[in-house]
Amino acid sequence: MKAQRTRGFTLVELMIVVVIIGILATIGYPSYRNYIVRASREAAQAELLELASLQEKIYLNSNAYAFSVTANYNGTSAGGLGVTSGKTRDGKYTLALDIVTPSQSYTLTATPVAGTTQGGDGNISIASDGSRLWNGAAW
């Protein structure tokens, strides 16, 4: 009788593959995480720009800015900006609106929600004078 040899993977070959996958994951995961944080920040910046545009429309209609982010949008300063949740669309930033009444100016701020990937990313803001800040630096 002729013995047949069984073909397959040895334990050593399998462990080499596991080690290679582990090395690739340790290199790739931090880059992926940084990409996710950057993409969420850029989405929040775009949303702040949309809200600033709404504020300017409201100012044209009412000669005053809206006082609330969460109140329903009606096109006048008596309404709000219509973001009922008070957060960005992806839920990673909380939106706030600071109105300075005598000077007729505002600042919209997006603050990272604790416990999300954005946790330590820093605040993003846009003001009525056009200044845009992220962690104190222009964006």
Side-chain angles (χ1 to χ4, degrees):
M1 276 175 74
K2 191 174 179 185
Q4 289 186 341
R5 186 170 173 203
T6 312
R7 298 198 181 255
F9 296 108
T10 65
L11 183 59
V12 173
E13 292 170 332
L14 188 60
M15 291 308 294
I16 290 172
V17 169
V18 169
V19 168
I20 291 172
I21 289 172
I23 291 170
L24 291 174
T26 57
I27 293 170
Y29 182 71
S31 295
Y32 174 72
R33 183 173 165 83
N34 289 339
Y35 168 77
I36 294 298
V37 168
R38 190 175 65 245
S40 293
R41 182 185 327 119
E42 289 172 0
Q45 289 170 340
E47 199 164 334
L48 283 177
L49 287 172
E50 289 175 21
L51 293 175
S53 175
L54 278 178
Q55 278 287 59
E56 296 306 324
K57 287 179 185 178
I58 290 169
Y59 188 82
L60 286 173
N61 290 336
S62 304
N63 202 27
Y65 292 112
F67 286 90
S68 173
V69 173
T70 56
N72 289 332
Y73 175 76
N74 66 5
T76 67
S77 61
L81 298 177
V83 183
T84 55
S85 68
K87 294 184 179 182
T88 55
R89 290 182 191 104
D90 61 4
K92 294 183 180 178
Y93 287 90
T94 302
L95 299 171
L97 176 61
D98 183 30
I99 298 288
V100 180
T101 305
S103 65
Q104 296 270 335
S105 64
Y106 68 88
T107 302
L108 280 162
T109 305
T111 306
V113 174
T116 65
T117 55
Q118 302 305 117
D121 194 43
N123 294 345
I124 306 166
S125 66
I126 187 168
S128 57
D129 64 359
S131 61
R132 303 173 187 179
L133 298 175
W134 169 61
N135 275 340
W139 54 275

